[in-house]
């Protein structure tokens, strides 16, 4: 990457934070997709979408599918997706499914 | 005269108005009722007294008289709305004539049916009867049953005999006919619907032609139910469906039965509308049910058994949720050569329902086609990943590939996981260890990677592939706790030395006990086992003790 790396300690980029609480499964996944889509539309200045996963009690295969969809959507919108405060079960799922590198990679918009 | 009259005046007018599909009345310049169709007479009559007076009698309601006089006084000729206690909102459309009279057309909220209030007991406009018939028609989702009900009830209440004709498929015409009071009969003939006047049009959904235009003697014999005799009059009405016509209703009366009057034709149309809705809902349901059944049949896992000196057993318990088809699958493909590697696989597609089923089929077919490359699991998974990758969704599959070969009395298993829980290896002494294989899911990431693990099974040892429906099954004392890896490991430790099928049954039983009556995802288990010593002889393709 060319240009100076943004220091992590610097003022954080304008980000919108979406708390994810409870079970992320086939019943709740559409709500999360919609919430992020609305935030992206409402906050064109936001460089990043932060999913606060602290309150996530479960993530099943549909939940993972939605995280992957969010990654695509946010990339396509030229923003960054950050999964913050990941609980152990989510770490385990990302590891088991080999999706950690992809989901957690820092694709910076150019 | 600048404008020719739009209807024949005087005596012929009444007959013309009777034939109108909408209620229509003619008011003379002073506001007196000159003519009215029967429906308009019912609409204009005071609600308390639904009498059928003669055409020239009867009062004009105040609202209409006011609008009429306003119009006659040079007011604007607009549409007048009126809320009728029986018919609901009625629009009155004026059409001034050259002689100062005005033709008023009435349009109800529900087309012309809204202005047909029920007559007390019986008669062609019996709403109670229509409601009862609707209930009968809607009480089933079986297409044949509904066609029978429609024919039976139409023959009982609407005519001497009724025939419900289904939309033609090819050159065969299928229909259900009934004679009043008799049982409906299904028939099919090779005939052209055009042989019945009005039928071809009705089957294409065109509005019905008035009964008096149809020559009853032109009705072909194949259409007339036995026992009716000579046909006296015919009504042909389309059965409106969802987008496409659901068929046509043919009502027949014998020579002595007299013709169908306008009210009866309207009632037949209302009955046909309800029958059409019932038939098309049932057709849609049965189409869906047959697609589901077809997919279910295709997706049922194979029965597994002894293959080239290796025991295979599999078990699958589908989710009991509404979407019946789940995303779990397993297969075993024997190798072409006797000493080659068989490819076993077990996997899971994210999500449920038809979409998951379609993807499951895709995964299984693609893997089948990739069998010649099964030596190289990494390559198989890469190709599968590319085949499934689409920009439309992020649905994915996770699976385990197991290439299995008998080597002497041992069985060699090459395991490659793709985003799937690693198989458990059950040793003869009861130790249970998960395989070290690890890889990424297929179908959504740009590249698929895996790390293959090779396991050697001694006689009596087994390798257990399972879907996360087992370990994530919720139940236990709290009803919310997951079955979990450690319980599975513990259960498998007690299965050391057991035959493959017994292990599958044991795991399924424990998982079922754990969830009790709770909801659960699909649960799939497959066991690959090295037959215990002394079980080498094959009896009818199954392992049996050597004699």
């Amino acid at each position: 990457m060319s240009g100076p790396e943004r220091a992590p300690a610097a003022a954080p980029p304008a980000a919108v934070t979406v708390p994810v609480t409870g079970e992320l499964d086939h019943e709740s996944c559409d709500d999360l997709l919609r919430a992020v889509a609305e935030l992206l539309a409402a906050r064109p200045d936001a460089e990043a979408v932060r999913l606060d996963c602290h309150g996530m009690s479960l993530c099943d295969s549909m939940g993972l599918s939605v995280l992957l969809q969010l990654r695509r959507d946010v990339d396509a919108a030229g923003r960054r997706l950050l999964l913050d405060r990941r609980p152990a079960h989510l770490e385990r799922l990302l590891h088991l499914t080999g999706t950690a590198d992809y989901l957690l990679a820092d694709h910076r918009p150019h | 005269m600048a404008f020719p009259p739009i209807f024949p005046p005087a005596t012929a007018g009444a007959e013309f108005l009777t034939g109108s599909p909408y209620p229509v009345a003619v008011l003379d310049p002073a506001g007196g009722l000159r003519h009215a169709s029967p429906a308009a007479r019912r609409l204009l009559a005071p609600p308390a007294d639904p009498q059928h007076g003669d055409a020239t009698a009867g009062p004009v309601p105040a609202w209409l008289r006011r609008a009429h006089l306003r119009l006659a006084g040079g007011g604007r000729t607009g549409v007048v709305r009126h809320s009728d206690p029986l018919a609901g909102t009625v629009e009155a459309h004026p059409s001034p004539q050259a002689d100062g009279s005005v033709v008023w057309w009435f349009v109800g909220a529900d087309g012309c049916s809204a202005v047909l209030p029920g007559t007390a007991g019986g008669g062609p406009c019996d709403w109670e009867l229509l409601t009862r018939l609707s209930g009968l028609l809607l009480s089933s989702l079986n297409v044949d049953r509904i066609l029978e009900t429609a024919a039976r009830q139409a023959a009982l209440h609407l005519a001497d005999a009724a025939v419900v004709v289904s939309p033609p498929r090819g050159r065969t015409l299928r229909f259900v006919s009934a004679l009043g009071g008799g049982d409906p009969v299904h028939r099919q003939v090779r005939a052209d619907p055009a042989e019945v006047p009005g039928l071809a049009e009705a089957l294409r959904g065109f509005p019905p032609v008035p009964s008096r235009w149809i020559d009853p003697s032109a009705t072909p014999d194949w259409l007339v139910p036995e026992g009716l005799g000579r046909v006296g009059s015919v009504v042909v009405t389309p059965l409106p469906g969802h987008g496409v016509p659901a068929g046509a209703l043919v009502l027949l009366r014998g020579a002595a039965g007299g013709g169908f009057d306008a009210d009866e034709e309207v009632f037949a149309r209302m009955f046909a509308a309800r029958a059409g809705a019932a038939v098309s809902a049932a057709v849609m349901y049965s189409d869906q049910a047959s697609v589901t059944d077809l997919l279910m049949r295709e997706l049922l896992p194979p029965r597994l058994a002894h293959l080239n000196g290796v025991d295979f057993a599999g078990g699958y318990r589908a989710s009991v949720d509404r979407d019946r088809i789940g995303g779990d699958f397993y297969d075993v493909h024997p190798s072409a050569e006797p000493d080659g590697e068989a490819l076993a696989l077990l996997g899971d597609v994210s999500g449920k329902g038809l979409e998951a089923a379609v993807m499951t089929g895709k995964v299984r077919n693609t893997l089948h086609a990739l069998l010649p490359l099964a030596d190289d699991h990494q390559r198989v998974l890469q190709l599968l990943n590319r085949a499934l990758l689409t920009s439309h969704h992020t649905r994915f599959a996770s699976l385990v590939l197991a290439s299995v070969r008998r080597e002497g009395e041992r069985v060699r298993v090459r395991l490659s996981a793709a985003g799937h829980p690693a198989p458990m290896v059950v040793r003869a002494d009861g130790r249970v260890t998960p395989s070290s294989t690890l890889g990424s899911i297929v179908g959504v990431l740009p590249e698929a990677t895996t790390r293959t693990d090779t396991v050697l099974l001694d006689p009596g040892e087994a390798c257990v592939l399972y879907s996360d429906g087992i370990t994530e099954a919720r139940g236990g004392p709290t009803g919310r706790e997951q079955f979990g890896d450690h319980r599975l490991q513990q259960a498998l430790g007690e299965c050391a030395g057991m035959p493959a099928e017994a292990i599958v049954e044991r795991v399924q039983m424990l998982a079922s006990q754990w969830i009790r009556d709770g909801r659960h995802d699909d649960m799939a288990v497959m066991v690959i086992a090295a037959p215990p010593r002394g079980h080498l002889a094959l009896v009818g393709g199954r392992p049996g003790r050597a004699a």
Side-chain angles (χ1 to χ4, degrees):
Chain A
M1 185 187 282
S2 63
E5 189 77 26
R6 191 189 296 266
V16 287
T17 301
V18 184
V20 185
T21 52
E23 305 187 346
L24 188 56
D25 58 10
H26 66 280
E27 281 175 31
S28 58
C29 57
D30 284 344
D31 294 340
L32 180 60
L33 273 180
R34 205 175 312 117
V36 171
E38 281 168 9
L39 273 173
L40 282 177
R43 292 282 306 276
D45 61 310
E47 280 180 34
V49 176
R50 290 180 176 277
L51 295 188
D52 181 355
C53 305
H54 186 63
M56 183 196 286
S57 60
L58 176 143
C59 181
D60 72 358
S61 65
M62 275 309 278
L64 180 60
S65 181
V66 162
L67 293 180
L68 292 161
Q69 184 67 52
L70 283 177
R71 177 83 219 192
R72 275 191 192 175
D73 293 352
V74 172
D75 280 357
R79 325 284 180 89
R80 298 161 61 197
L81 179 72
L82 303 164
L83 304 182
D84 289 348
R85 300 210 286 167
R86 297 185 293 277
H89 66 83
L90 182 58
E91 290 285 7
R92 217 164 36 238
L93 179 69
L94 299 188
H95 174 71
L96 172 70
T97 54
T99 50
D101 287 350
Y102 175 79
L103 274 176
L104 305 179
D106 192 0
H107 299 237
R108 275 166 194 268
H110 297 288
Chain B
M1 196 183 279
F3 303 100
I6 65 157
F7 64 91
T11 50
E15 195 193 326
F16 174 82
L17 294 177
T18 303
S20 158
Y22 286 94
V24 57
V26 185
L27 269 61
D28 64 29
L33 189 62
R34 190 183 281 175
H35 293 295
S37 67
R41 258 178 276 143
R42 273 192 298 277
L43 176 70
L44 300 178
D49 178 27
Q51 48 94 24
H52 295 234
D54 66 73
T56 51
V60 173
W63 65 271
L64 184 61
R65 184 188 297 274
R66 270 201 307 278
H68 181 78
L69 294 178
R70 198 159 59 235
L71 191 68
R76 284 180 55 241
T77 55
V79 178
V80 180
R81 279 189 186 75
H82 168 67
S83 287
D84 187 89
L86 279 171
T89 303
V90 176
E91 285 182 356
H93 296 254
S95 175
Q97 298 301 296
D99 65 353
S101 66
V102 176
V103 181
W104 287 92
W105 299 90
F106 304 101
V107 182
D110 188 17
C112 51
S113 63
V115 291
L116 292 176
T119 52
C125 303
D126 189 337
W127 290 99
E128 264 183 50
L129 174 63
L130 190 63
T131 309
R132 198 152 47 81
L133 295 183
S134 298
L136 288 172
L137 288 168
L138 292 170
S139 63
S140 170
L141 274 174
N142 178 314
V143 180
D144 284 348
R145 190 77 35 78
I146 294 171
L147 294 174
E148 287 165 17
T149 304
R152 184 199 299 272
Q153 298 301 331
L156 210 55
H157 298 287
L158 277 60
D160 294 337
V163 185
V164 181
V165 186
S166 296
R169 282 192 192 159
R171 282 185 295 276
T172 306
L173 211 53
R174 295 160 58 94
F175 55 88
V176 181
S177 54
L179 201 61
D183 282 332
V185 182
H186 288 262
R187 290 194 56 198
Q188 56 183 59
V189 292
R190 280 175 84 90
D192 186 349
E195 290 173 31
V196 185
L199 182 59
E201 292 79 4
L203 285 172
R204 265 179 275 145
F206 288 112
V209 295
S211 169
R212 62 178 185 278
W213 292 7
I214 298 177
D215 174 12
S217 64
T219 314
D221 290 339
W222 53 261
L223 186 74
V224 182
E226 222 172 292
L228 181 70
R230 203 167 63 81
V231 177
S233 48
V234 184
V235 168
V236 181
T237 304
L239 297 182
H242 298 148
V244 288
L249 172 69
V250 182
L251 299 178
L252 303 165
R253 270 200 187 135
F260 291 91
D261 67 27
D263 284 341
E264 288 174 315
E265 286 189 49
V266 169
F267 192 82
R269 282 210 291 279
M270 293 190 287
F271 175 79
R274 281 150 180 84
V279 169
S280 51
V283 166
M284 233 147 75
Y285 175 80
S286 70
D287 282 356
Q288 208 175 1
S290 68
V291 167
T292 308
D293 284 350
L294 182 87
L295 278 168
M296 285 289 278
R297 263 204 309 281
E298 283 293 307
L299 292 174
L300 279 182
R303 282 187 60 83
L304 305 179
H306 193 80
L307 205 64
N308 288 344
V310 183
D311 282 344
F312 291 93
Y316 175 70
R317 188 172 162 190
S319 165
V320 291
D321 277 354
R322 240 173 338 113
D323 315 300
R324 291 194 299 154
I325 313 168
D328 285 10
F329 55 90
Y330 59 77
D331 274 313
V332 175
H333 301 286
S335 84
E337 310 93 56
D339 58 343
E341 279 185 324
L343 181 70
L345 54 102
L346 180 145
D348 180 8
V349 165
S350 63
K352 279 193 205 124
L354 277 182
E355 281 174 311
V358 168
M359 186 158 183
T360 302
K362 237 176 176 176
V363 172
R364 287 174 68 182
N365 284 351
T366 308
L367 286 171
H368 200 158
L370 292 174
L371 273 183
L373 307 175
D375 277 355
D376 187 347
H377 285 180
Q378 168 73 36
R379 186 159 160 67
V380 167
L381 291 174
Q382 260 170 7
L383 291 171
L384 175 64
N385 184 55
R386 265 176 238 165
L388 299 175
L389 208 52
T390 161
S391 58
H392 297 153
H393 57 73
T394 48
R395 206 169 275 282
F396 59 84
S398 75
L399 68 149
V400 175
L401 298 179
S403 288
V404 185
R405 188 200 332 245
R406 176 88 185 234
E407 290 184 350
E409 62 176 10
R410 299 209 291 186
V411 170
R412 188 166 173 274
V413 187
R414 287 192 301 125
L415 293 166
S416 298
H420 200 87
M424 302 272 192
V425 182
V426 184
R427 296 299 180 188
D429 58 4
R431 270 182 309 129
V432 179
T433 47
S435 156
S436 66
T437 179
L438 183 70
S440 59
I441 51 175
V442 288
V444 67
L445 303 175
E447 288 296 329
T449 56
T450 190
R451 186 173 72 220
T452 303
D453 176 33
T454 301
V455 172
L456 280 173
L457 301 176
D458 280 327
E461 295 185 337
C463 176
V464 181
L465 284 61
Y466 61 96
S467 68
D468 58 11
I470 301 269
T471 46
E472 290 175 6
R474 282 166 186 265
T478 63
R480 301 281 310 149
E481 200 174 338
Q482 295 193 345
F483 189 62
D485 296 358
H486 63 286
R487 282 196 191 83
L488 178 62
Q489 236 163 316
Q490 203 180 342
L492 290 175
E494 295 157 10
C495 296
M498 280 165 63
E501 267 181 39
I503 299 178
V504 167
E505 273 170 29
R506 175 100 186 129
V507 170
Q508 283 191 312
M509 191 193 76
L510 287 175
S512 298
Q513 282 177 350
W514 182 256
I515 53 180
R516 281 175 296 181
D517 304 327
R519 292 174 46 182
H520 64 88
D521 276 352
D522 288 359
M523 299 191 292
V525 197
M526 178 161 64
V527 174
I528 303 162
R533 289 189 184 88
H535 281 248
L536 294 180
L538 290 181
V539 181
R542 312 272 299 169
R545 187 165 292 277

